[in-house]
Amino acid sequence: GQEAVLVLQTEDEIAAVNSASGACLAGARAATSTSGPGFSLMAEGLGWAGNNEVPLVITLYQRGGPSTGQPTRHSQQDLRFAMHAAHGEFARIILASGDISECFYDAAEVFNLAEKYQMPVIHLLDKGMANSSQTYPVFDYSKVKIDRGQIVGEKELEGKVYKRFQFTETGISPRAFLGTKNAVQWCSGDEHNESGNINEEPIIRRKMMDKRLKKLELVDKEVPLEMKINFFGDKDAENIVVSWGSPKGAIIEALNQLKDEGVSLGYIQVRMIHPLSSAYLKRMLEGKKRIIDVEDNATAQLGGIITEHTAIKPTHYILKYTGRPMMTTEVYDAIKNILTDQAAERQVLMLGA
């Protein structure tokens, strides 16, 4: 039958994130969306979802901060915040779309990731994409698949004691929706045992922490590389561009122009930023002459994360943080300056009124 879509307008972002978690627990595929200040308010609720292994989806489209910053402008300043928001340590997935077509398919895929691995997923966008329009052929809906993960119902639980947070080989426990007969369960902000009852014993604490965090290894192993990384250009090029999100269009156009001039370049678009495909990135970046990191922020956040996980540091940075998205001309000029050894290690782009 036809599924209903329900939109709930809450009074603030704290209510929004907790309402979305409640809907997930009751069996809906639920998401909420926000920009930076709203996501700041959602941090505590995100931690609750992490502790209870709730398949919550948050779409975060970034604008210029800090504080109200540039409320009508674009940025990519919230990557590290999305990775570490909420106190404590818990598993989450961060998937960053790079164009409007990716936004469409990823919006469906993030639900699959959340439900399959039973953890919050942050769908990271930026205002450059959120406020732009492009013409595409009609999207192919047959590519949108639904995977709800390990859900158990009344029949499978007959005569059994249900453990919502059961220890398993993978760290993923059978999930029953709230209200399912034979599936009594407890949800709490506190650490808990397999049933969900509050428990702070050292052995239980360690096992629960390990259970939640080891699911990230499973994500890294199981999710296909083509969902996590896009590669454009020449794989054997001695110069590689790395980036994420909406600079994608300008980078591809700049690469095409340089290719027409006989310049060989590769471009790695990182889509799944957490967990990071560090083995692949290490293999692709090792021994390269120049690694050029392109981002719409001041501190080269992705570049730093790549260095942390691969011990390989970009040689050059092309950064923009004026609130205006990147343009082909300036990306082309900046890359050309690097390739002709006329650029400083860090170039800041300024185009756009």
Side-chain angles (χ1 to χ4, degrees):
Q2 212 155 14
E3 296 297 326
V5 175
L6 179 72
V7 179
L8 177 66
Q9 176 84 30
T10 58
E11 64 271 29
D12 57 32
E13 288 85 354
I14 297 170
V17 74
N18 292 326
S19 300
S21 274
C24 287
L25 292 172
R29 301 188 114 196
T32 184
S33 60
T34 185
S35 56
F39 188 67
S40 300
L41 285 172
M42 289 181 181
E44 189 184 0
L46 174 64
W48 193 93
N51 188 41
N52 287 280
E53 301 179 52
V54 179
L56 165 72
V57 170
I58 301 176
T59 300
L60 165 58
Y61 77 92
Q62 303 156 94
R63 65 190 214 194
S67 188
T68 311
Q70 294 180 302
T72 63
R73 296 289 178 185
H74 158 81
S75 93
Q76 291 185 295
Q77 296 180 329
D78 295 346
L79 172 54
R80 283 189 179 270
F81 179 35
M83 278 179 71
H84 301 293
H87 62 284
E89 300 163 305
F90 60 93
R92 89 235 6 227
I93 291 168
I94 297 177
L95 190 69
S97 301
D99 57 39
I100 290 172
S101 173
E102 284 181 21
C103 288
F104 174 81
Y105 292 109
D106 290 348
E109 200 50 58
V110 284
F111 281 116
N112 293 338
L113 292 168
E115 292 203 300
K116 190 172 177 187
Y117 299 105
Q118 296 181 22
M119 65 176 74
V121 178
I122 296 158
H123 186 194
L124 201 52
L125 310 180
D126 54 49
K127 206 163 168 65
M129 279 179 292
N131 289 118
S132 63
S133 53
Q134 283 173 273
T135 306
Y136 283 96
V138 175
F139 292 127
D140 181 0
Y141 299 124
S142 70
K143 283 187 188 169
V144 176
K145 304 278 186 258
I146 293 177
D147 181 354
R148 301 218 60 186
Q150 288 185 39
I151 291 168
V152 286
E154 183 185 325
K155 290 263 188 294
E156 295 115 298
L157 296 172
E158 242 167 52
K160 292 178 185 160
V161 175
Y162 177 59
K163 294 177 177 176
R164 167 64 192 102
F165 304 103
Q166 187 183 339
F167 295 124
T168 61
E169 276 298 302
T170 59
I172 297 169
S173 315
R175 184 165 73 100
F177 302 146
L178 289 185
T180 303
K181 196 177 172 185
N182 307 319
V184 176
Q185 55 185 291
W186 288 265
C187 295
S188 159
D190 291 55
E191 189 56 279
H192 45 261
N193 62 16
E194 291 176 283
S195 301
N197 297 125
I198 295 171
N199 186 305
E200 293 189 3
E201 293 299 321
I203 290 171
I204 292 287
R205 167 64 170 173
R206 180 180 175 177
K207 285 180 79 172
M208 276 296 169
M209 284 287 292
D210 291 348
K211 168 202 194 308
R212 290 188 292 264
L213 287 168
K214 78 176 176 185
K215 291 192 284 183
L216 286 172
E217 292 169 22
L218 194 66
V219 174
D220 190 41
K221 197 172 79 187
E222 288 188 350
V223 175
L225 188 65
E226 56 270 22
M227 192 193 291
K228 298 188 284 192
I229 299 267
N230 280 332
F231 192 98
F232 302 89
D234 178 8
K235 277 196 167 64
D236 300 317
E238 59 179 10
N239 302 304
I240 300 278
V241 174
V242 289
S243 187
W244 62 288
S246 67
K248 176 183 179 179
I251 293 168
I252 289 174
E253 284 192 33
L255 254 64
N256 288 340
Q257 285 183 28
L258 288 160
K259 190 181 175 184
D260 291 344
E261 295 169 26
V263 177
S264 167
L265 273 165
Y267 160 38
I268 296 172
Q269 177 206 352
V270 183
R271 287 176 28 77
M272 187 174 282
I273 303 178
H274 188 76
L276 189 72
S277 303
S278 46
Y280 170 86
L281 287 166
K282 191 163 188 165
R283 194 169 69 245
M284 296 303 288
L285 297 175
E286 228 155 19
K288 296 299 180 187
K289 186 175 178 184
R290 299 181 188 90
I291 298 165
I292 304 163
D293 177 44
V294 181
E295 305 187 52
D296 285 317
N297 57 51
T299 55
Q301 294 181 29
L302 177 67
I305 291 161
I306 289 172
T307 303
E308 184 185 325
H309 287 272
T310 65
I312 297 171
K313 193 174 186 292
T315 58
H316 295 83
Y317 301 90
I318 297 171
L319 305 170
K320 192 171 187 179
Y321 42 94
T322 58
R324 281 75 179 159
M326 292 209 178
M327 300 185 193
T328 303
T329 333
E330 58 185 352
V331 173
Y332 166 83
D333 289 340
I335 293 175
K336 191 122 190 204
N337 288 342
I338 291 167
L339 299 178
T340 54
D341 295 320
Q342 292 173 49
E345 182 187 334
R346 183 176 185 267
Q347 294 179 85
V348 178
L349 307 184
M350 291 298 297
L351 271 188

